[in-house]
Amino acid sequence: MSEWDTSHLASDPAGVDGLGGGDDSAGLGAPQSIVEHDLDGGRTYITDVDGDGYADLVAVDGDHDGVIEAAYHDSDGDGRLDTTMRDYDEDGVADQYLTDNNGDGHTDAVSSDINNDGRVDSLSMDTDFDGRTDAWIRDTNYDGIADYASVRPSPFVTN
């Protein structure tokens, strides 16, 4: 499992970087968005939905074709991007989801649509958050029914 790239986090609530900086009673700014234009024509969209000065959604259109190839989301509002969605074939439908469920910066679950039919074909999970895959399920013939599954024995001893 890999660590998350949090380089797109906005960290200046005073508004110098264009995010946050409002004067409402809760101390949060108004929602803001930034579009970064790359020299090669790609775009990165950064949005602070809740006005707290941290990016809640980052979307990347690397080849400037209007289709987002990767999106990163802060689903729990803690300032860390904890969900990644990737569209490898650029058809506008996410082919892979990676999620950090416990907020430690490591991927805990990966689901993939390998044959691009809109259904999950492979799912792997780190259920005890030790950095190793504990369970996985795979549908190899893409009929919607799991063909293979594996669960690593629980590390917890019960009496």
Side-chain angles (χ1 to χ4, degrees), residues 125-144:
M125 297 167 285
D126 176 9
T127 58
D128 59 3
F129 309 116
D130 67 352
R132 298 181 343 180
T133 299
D134 301 313
W136 60 268
I137 301 168
R138 179 79 195 270
D139 175 12
T140 57
N141 61 0
Y142 311 116
D143 64 355

Side-chain angles (χ1 to χ4, degrees), residues 43-58:
R43 291 185 181 168
T44 302
Y45 305 90
I46 303 171
T47 303
D48 173 15
V49 177
D50 56 12
D52 65 356
Y54 292 94
D56 299 307
L57 179 63
V58 177

